[in-house]
Amino acid sequence: MELDLLRFVAAFTVMAFHYMAASRSLWDESPVVLFEPVKYLTTLGILGVELFFLISGFVILMSAWGHSLRRFAVSRFARLFPAYWFTVIALYVLYTYTSVEYFRPNLDTVGYVINLTMLQEALGVIPAGGVFWSLWVELKFYFLISIVVIMGVNLRRAMGFMWVWLAAAIFAEWLQNDLVTEIVLPRQAPYFIAGMAFYLIYREGSTVTRWGFVLVGYACSLYVALERIQSRIDLVGIKNFPAPPPAVIAWITVIYVLMAAVALGWLRWVRWRALTTVGALTYPLYLVHQNVSAVLIPEFRESINPWVLAGGTMLASILLSYAVYRLVDRPGQRLLRRLMGRSPMEQRQASVP
């Protein structure tokens, strides 16, 4: 349940970043001016995705442990695609049949169909949603860890995979080859690997080697986070992107400390049952929130106080996400698991009267 809470924190910080720090075009002026008292917090929300990657390393290794490749693939497919398909179709309807212009992708119908595969970036097609880039990163992580799943996940193989991936990521960062970077993910690998190390600590206990992975991941995460933020500052200026290095270091430190607390069991007291639902609606929230703001903020920015409008848009996004979770995501996952969960032989046996 503590991970469900952290998932929501990650999604909320990304939403706060998009609404209150990043989307100048929505407000027709700089959001960091409109929301000046919280500008340092909201700007750092861009790094909420990095918390998602840390959590993903933890959760994906946990879900792969002891499972066959087929079971792992079915689990991931069912988890990712129902809400994603809904979002792509909703974006197609929104940008084809309404006059909404903000965040409109330059896509024809074929482009939206290709987006349904989640492989659009590999096929050279623009993502239909601005946040979809991280899903491609997640998919590549799944492909990489599938190597271990095929052999059977255990402690020795998980550690071996982490050693090889970490070395490859450091080499790829030095090499700066586009193809190698695309495969090895040097800018995201430290988070995934550290998340996996946190799971091993959670499952098997602390060792110097496991905490060593965490510390190296932390150091590499500081490097890539500072580089990422500096590239944004270089683009728009520190005035429009107030995220000084000490604040970035503090953010990365906090998310690592939170994950360490999960791994060590310090947050087991977080047992509010509703957190399961909160965690489940996080994925739809991540997918839809940016385009909800494209509809509401330009429409009401002249008539509603910006703080009220930002809060109302957040609430609308959360309510829509809950509806997507209840009406699309949860039943969709059940249906896909039922359709895909049995092997062909099991399905034939089940059909025999």
Side-chain angles (χ1 to χ4, degrees), residues 88-101 104 107 109 112:
V88 173
I89 294 169
L91 294 181
Y92 170 75
V93 172
L94 177 67
Y95 291 116
T96 302
Y97 298 104
T98 77
S99 59
V100 173
E101 289 293 332
R104 177 185 291 272
L107 289 172
T109 301
Y112 282 101

Side-chain angles (χ1 to χ4, degrees), residues 94-125:
L94 177 67
Y95 291 116
T96 302
Y97 298 104
T98 77
S99 59
V100 173
E101 289 293 332
Y102 296 94
F103 308 128
R104 177 185 291 272
N106 185 23
L107 289 172
D108 56 14
T109 301
V110 174
Y112 282 101
V113 172
I114 292 173
N115 264 263
L116 290 172
T117 69
M118 209 180 286
L119 300 174
Q120 58 275 1
E121 293 192 47
L123 299 172
V125 176

Side-chain angles (χ1 to χ4, degrees), residues 5-15 45 47-52 55 251 282 286:
L5 177 59
L6 291 184
R7 281 194 186 101
F8 184 78
V9 169
F12 189 87
T13 57
V14 172
M15 179 169 62
L47 297 174
V49 178
E50 278 70 2
L51 176 54
F52 273 126
I55 296 170
W251 172 265
T282 295
Y286 181 73

Side-chain angles (χ1 to χ4, degrees), residues 7-324:
R7 281 194 186 101
F8 184 78
V9 169
F12 189 87
T13 57
V14 172
M15 179 169 62
F17 167 71
H18 283 142
Y19 290 6
M20 304 174 75
S23 302
R24 183 187 184 97
S25 61
L26 293 183
W27 297 99
D28 201 26
E29 61 181 300
S30 175
V32 297
V33 174
L34 285 173
F35 305 103
E36 198 274 339
V38 294
K39 64 182 181 181
Y40 296 109
L41 289 175
T42 56
T43 304
L44 287 173
I46 191 175
L47 297 174
V49 178
E50 278 70 2
L51 176 54
F52 273 126
F53 291 153
L54 264 177
I55 296 170
S56 184
F58 188 106
V59 171
I60 298 307
L61 182 57
M62 178 172 61
S63 65
W65 203 283
H67 292 168
S68 67
L69 178 62
R70 185 175 182 281
R71 185 174 178 184
F72 174 71
V74 168
S75 171
R76 290 299 91 203
F77 189 91
R79 179 67 185 91
L80 285 180
F81 276 93
Y84 176 76
W85 283 335
F86 168 84
T87 304
V88 173
I89 294 169
L91 294 181
Y92 170 75
V93 172
L94 177 67
Y95 291 116
T96 302
Y97 298 104
T98 77
S99 59
V100 173
E101 289 293 332
Y102 296 94
F103 308 128
R104 177 185 291 272
N106 185 23
L107 289 172
D108 56 14
T109 301
V110 174
Y112 282 101
V113 172
I114 292 173
N115 264 263
L116 290 172
T117 69
M118 209 180 286
L119 300 174
Q120 58 275 1
E121 293 192 47
L123 299 172
V125 176
I126 297 170
V131 300
F132 288 3
W133 70 270
S134 64
L135 302 182
W136 177 230
V137 172
E138 288 279 345
L139 276 183
K140 288 186 284 187
F141 172 43
Y142 299 167
F143 291 140
L144 289 172
I145 202 170
S146 293
I147 298 170
V148 188
V149 177
I150 290 171
M151 297 184 291
V153 180
N154 58 31
L155 178 60
R156 180 176 60 84
R157 289 170 182 155
M159 293 287 286
F161 172 78
M162 291 158 63
W163 277 114
V164 171
W165 192 12
L166 181 60
I170 294 172
F171 175 73
E173 183 65 19
W174 170 81
L175 186 64
Q176 293 292 305
N177 177 273
D178 290 343
L179 179 60
V180 175
T181 296
E182 188 71 22
I183 296 171
V184 177
L185 305 173
R187 292 302 175 99
Q188 294 83 33
Y191 300 100
F192 290 125
I193 293 169
M196 295 170 70
F198 280 129
Y199 175 68
L200 293 179
I201 293 166
Y202 174 84
R203 177 186 172 91
E204 305 289 340
S206 296
T207 67
V208 172
T209 302
R210 292 165 203 162
W211 281 109
F213 272 114
V214 171
L215 291 175
V216 173
Y218 170 70
C220 293
S221 297
L222 288 178
Y223 168 76
V224 297
L226 288 167
E227 287 271 307
R228 183 182 179 203
I229 295 302
Q230 189 58 51
S231 67
R232 295 293 292 256
I233 293 173
D234 292 342
L235 187 65
V236 300
I238 189 70
K239 180 179 179 181
N240 293 311
F241 204 88
V248 176
I249 293 170
W251 172 265
I252 297 299
T253 302
V254 166
I255 66 175
Y256 267 81
V257 168
L258 287 172
M259 288 301 297
V262 172
L264 294 170
W266 295 349
L267 297 181
R268 287 177 182 165
W269 55 270
V270 181
R271 284 295 177 268
W272 181 33
R273 291 183 61 185
L275 285 177
T276 302
T277 301
V278 169
L281 66 80
T282 295
Y283 180 50
L285 177 61
Y286 181 73
L287 293 175
V288 306
H289 74 272
Q290 195 170 30
N291 300 97
V292 172
S293 70
V295 174
L296 297 182
I297 291 176
E299 181 68 23
F300 297 105
R301 67 190 180 197
E302 301 297 333
S303 56
I304 297 179
N305 176 278
W307 290 89
V308 175
L309 180 53
T313 306
M314 288 179 178
L315 179 60
S317 295
I318 292 170
L319 292 175
L320 173 61
S321 302
Y322 179 72
V324 173

